[in-house]
Amino acid sequence: MARRGWMIGLGASALTALGGLAAHDRLQKSHSVLRNYPVLGRGRYLMEAIRPELQQYFIERDVDGRPFDRNARSLIYQRAKGVADVTPFGTERDVDSIDYEWLVHSMTPKPMPDAPPRVRIGGPDCTRPYDMSLFNVSGMSFGALSANAVLAMNHGAALGGFAQDTGEGGLSDHHLAHGGDLVWEIGTGYFGARNENGEFDPDQFARQAAHEQVKMIELKLSQGAKPGLGGVLPGAKVSEEIAAVRMVPPGETCVSPAAHRAFSTPVELIEFIARLRELSGGKPTGFKLCVGSRTQVLALCKAMHEVGTTPDFIVVDGSEGGTGAAPLEFEDHVGMPLTQGLLTVQNALVGAGLRDTIRLGASGKISAGNDVVRRLIQGADFTSSARAMMMAVGCIQAQRCHTDTCPVGVTTQDPRRTKALVVEEKSVRVQRYHESTVHQALRLMASMGVSDPSQLRPEMLRRNLSKQESRSYAELHQWLAPGELLNQPPEEWAADWANADPHSFAAS
Ligand SMILES: Cc1cc2nc3c(=O)[nH]c(=O)nc-3n(C[C@H](O)[C@H](O)[C@H](O)COP(=O)(O)O)c2cc1C
């Protein structure tokens, strides 16, 4: 009898302790997993502590053998949490391997600049130029992201002085709540700027573009993870609130068509950009694309000459970029990788004598300082990141963005799950992650003898061709001279330049 009483007492104490632990986990604000999965979620942290490689292994298995670089991922978490981001012992990379790329340091490193440089965006037809950070939040819609994720990223952007791209799902109150700078993206669905037939509505557009927080307008042509596909937000995720922001019916699957209806030729596209800029009151206006054919890029350059204006910026998204949902065929097999895409657009603009008025952005697996520097050398003026910013707000790569069951509240509209993400906590992580990444990019540049990004040269990035030999980007790639396409197109470009038609997007 006494033994039974003792057992009951022990059981009750264990239950009380468990209940206490569960309450603590539910209420603490640092760990999203524990807020949604009290006690049980501790298994993840236990695994991390006992055997970090094991946890990494599971994550890498989860992503079908296409990991987000392991070192980069640890860095993002460490920097976001404000944990020291140096590692002991030395590299674990095979630095002899073919295609390994490395930056060239100087024997006379320079001091770092006092303040991070900013990139002025705004060509001759823009009356309200914007000074952009070197690293920003890439487009992710409210709908793909939860309200709390949008809030945390925007607050982080406000704290750190960088920009958040709204993604194509419209401009919501969550984007506006914390005062962070915004790039308002318009996609094929014209969400937030459409009439009842889903066509572009200039009045709606002008009204929204007038928000002081909207610093730039970005027309989305395509996205690296699913170029030429458009997008679908499942009915389950189309809440009343999202429906209102997008101007679509709630509960019904919301489709972004594959193609735009506001224009159908390169000339019409450039005219549309000019119209958006005018309607926005002169804010920098540009487009985002994953490059497909070089001829189409050249057709756009010819169209710029014909119309007599240019976009203020172009964002090149690599086929390695992320998405909330896309068929694997599109993720893996369509579109130009970022390096090629950037080199193509950089050369086309320089060769067509247009580069001076247009700033180039880059996105696609950019998550650390070296990625930023590498992309600047390849032609970019600024960079942005989507998935790394998701990780900064707590994404654990559960890869359930498309199911509305994200366990850490980043990509779900389920209010219970969303609560796991504490905005005040995660916004600081976004700010810290951004600050540290830019800091390391500047540190790298200083070690390369460069005190400003404009001094970066293709000679400063090298690629191994074998264990014994490497070449610089200056040697490996063709770099057109300003206006070269207009004067005397080099042989490798002549056919594409001749075929480029400013009145047709036909690829050849
Ligand atoms: C959850 C999610 C939602 C996205 N939504 C959009 C979008 O609305 N518009 C867009 O242009 N790109 C969207 N993207 C793509 C990113 O803006 C970016 O182009 C790409 O993810 C860059 O790759 P990264 O994730 O490696 O940084 C999305 C990406 C993710 C991960």
Side-chain angles (χ1 to χ4, degrees):
M1 196 63 185
R3 188 180 149 85
R4 196 162 157 239
W6 184 79
M7 295 281 285
I8 290 171
L10 192 69
S13 312
L15 275 178
T16 311
L18 260 183
L21 191 61
H24 167 272
D25 287 355
R26 174 83 70 195
L27 294 175
Q28 57 76 42
K29 295 182 170 174
S30 299
H31 303 294
S32 311
V33 177
L34 293 184
R35 281 173 69 82
N36 267 350
Y37 302 96
V39 185
L40 279 181
R42 286 178 176 268
R44 179 170 187 271
Y45 297 104
L46 190 69
M47 205 160 72
E48 250 178 28
I50 299 171
R51 192 73 202 277
E53 318 85 286
L54 191 67
Q55 189 242 357
Q56 301 290 9
Y57 174 74
F58 280 123
I59 291 178
E60 284 178 13
R61 286 281 301 276
D62 275 348
V63 293
D64 290 340
R66 291 170 296 112
F68 204 95
D69 181 85
R70 185 169 90 172
N71 295 327
R73 203 169 45 218
S74 317
L75 264 188
I76 298 164
Y77 291 139
Q78 280 173 305
R79 287 179 175 168
K81 288 178 185 169
V83 177
D85 61 356
V86 288
T87 51
F89 216 63
T91 186
E92 288 177 14
R93 287 181 185 279
D94 179 5
V95 296
D96 270 335
S97 63
I98 294 171
D99 290 342
Y100 171 74
E101 291 195 354
W102 45 281
L103 298 166
V104 179
H105 66 282
S106 168
M107 286 195 184
T108 53
K110 289 260 168 38
M112 281 178 64
D114 295 334
R118 297 183 78 85
V119 187
R120 173 143 294 205
I121 304 186
D125 298 321
C126 161
T127 52
R128 299 173 68 180
Y130 174 62
D131 291 335
M132 186 126 181
S133 169
L134 290 180
F135 187 51
N136 303 277
V137 182
S138 192
M140 287 176 281
S141 309
F142 169 46
L145 294 183
S146 66
N148 280 1
V150 171
L151 285 165
M153 288 182 194
N154 190 263
H155 193 205
L159 293 172
F162 53 100
Q164 176 190 30
D165 189 314
T166 61
E168 63 189 288
L171 191 59
S172 71
D173 289 346
H174 309 299
H175 291 107
L176 297 165
H178 288 292
D181 291 348
L182 291 172
V183 178
W184 182 26
E185 184 181 79
I186 307 287
T188 52
Y190 307 115
F191 298 126
R194 60 193 249 145
N195 62 22
E196 60 282 2
N197 300 323
E199 287 151 1
F200 176 72
D201 181 328
D203 296 331
Q204 296 282 10
F205 173 81
R207 199 172 46 80
Q208 298 267 49
H211 279 288
E212 191 47 43
Q213 255 175 273
V214 173
K215 303 295 179 190
M216 310 213 296
I217 308 294
E218 177 182 278
L219 185 70
K220 176 183 170 181
L221 302 182
S222 55
Q223 173 183 340
K226 47 179 178 177
L229 187 65
V232 175
L233 190 65
K237 284 183 104 176
V238 186
S239 62
E240 293 278 348
E241 191 186 9
I242 286 172
V245 171
R246 295 191 177 210
M247 302 174 172
V248 298
E252 286 180 24
T253 295
C254 173
V255 177
S256 300
H260 277 275
R261 280 175 283 175
F263 54 86
S264 55
T265 70
V267 160
E268 286 171 13
L269 163 59
I270 300 303
E271 286 170 346
F272 189 58
I273 293 277
R275 189 170 169 223
L276 292 179
R277 183 166 48 216
E278 203 182 311
L279 287 167
S280 74
K283 293 184 179 176
T285 304
F287 59 82
K288 166 177 176 174
L289 86 168
C290 173
V291 178
S293 109
R294 184 162 82 174
T295 312
Q296 289 190 341
V297 174
L298 294 174
L300 286 172
C301 294
K302 285 188 174 175
M304 292 174 208
H305 280 295
E306 189 164 322
V307 178
T309 188
T310 66
D312 299 292
F313 67 94
I314 297 174
V315 172
V316 181
D317 196 31
S319 58
E320 60 269 58
T323 176
L328 196 60
E329 287 87 338
F330 279 81
E331 289 179 0
D332 280 0
H333 300 288
V334 190
M336 209 177 265
L338 183 53
T339 299
Q340 286 185 52
L342 262 181
L343 292 173
T344 301
V345 176
Q346 162 76 2
N347 271 313
L349 293 178
V350 171
L354 296 162
R355 184 67 176 88
D356 288 348
T357 58
I358 303 173
R359 294 283 168 263
L360 261 190
S363 54
K365 281 198 170 171
I366 295 172
S367 63
N370 58 295
D371 299 321
V372 174
V373 175
R374 187 165 156 250
R375 296 313 181 185
L376 297 186
I377 291 177
Q378 293 172 352
D381 296 298
F382 64 94
T383 63
S384 54
S385 165
R387 284 170 291 178
M389 294 293 180
M390 283 170 60
M391 290 186 221
V393 298
C395 165
I396 56 168
Q397 290 188 276
Q399 307 213 358
R400 291 197 233 143
C401 316
H402 59 303
T403 63
D404 206 28
T405 59
C406 173
V408 284
V410 179
T411 56
T412 174
Q413 303 308 318
D414 175 346
R416 199 177 51 83
R417 291 174 195 272
T418 301
K419 276 195 207 137
L421 197 163
V422 179
V423 175
E424 307 84 67
E425 181 81 16
K426 301 298 193 223
S427 53
V428 175
R429 291 194 184 187
V430 173
Q431 180 253 320
R432 276 199 215 114
Y433 166 60
H434 169 271
E435 184 181 339
S436 177
T437 305
V438 172
H439 179 77
Q440 295 304 339
L442 296 178
R443 239 178 157 183
L444 282 171
M445 285 188 239
S447 79
M448 296 162 72
V450 160
S451 50
D452 186 85
S454 60
Q455 296 161 2
L456 291 169
R457 296 279 169 267
E459 289 78 7
M460 296 171 178
L461 178 62
R462 297 185 71 89
R463 175 180 289 183
N464 287 354
L465 300 184
S466 69
K467 279 185 191 296
Q468 293 80 26
E469 200 186 3
S470 69
R471 290 256 204 290
S472 80
Y473 263 61
E475 301 163 287
L476 284 172
H477 300 285
Q478 190 176 21
W479 297 87
L480 299 192
E484 192 173 347
L485 290 169
L486 304 174
N487 304 325
Q488 178 75 56
E491 200 185 324
E492 300 83 347
W493 286 73
D496 285 348
W497 181 248
N499 286 334
D501 180 355
H503 297 281
S504 165
F505 273 121
S508 64

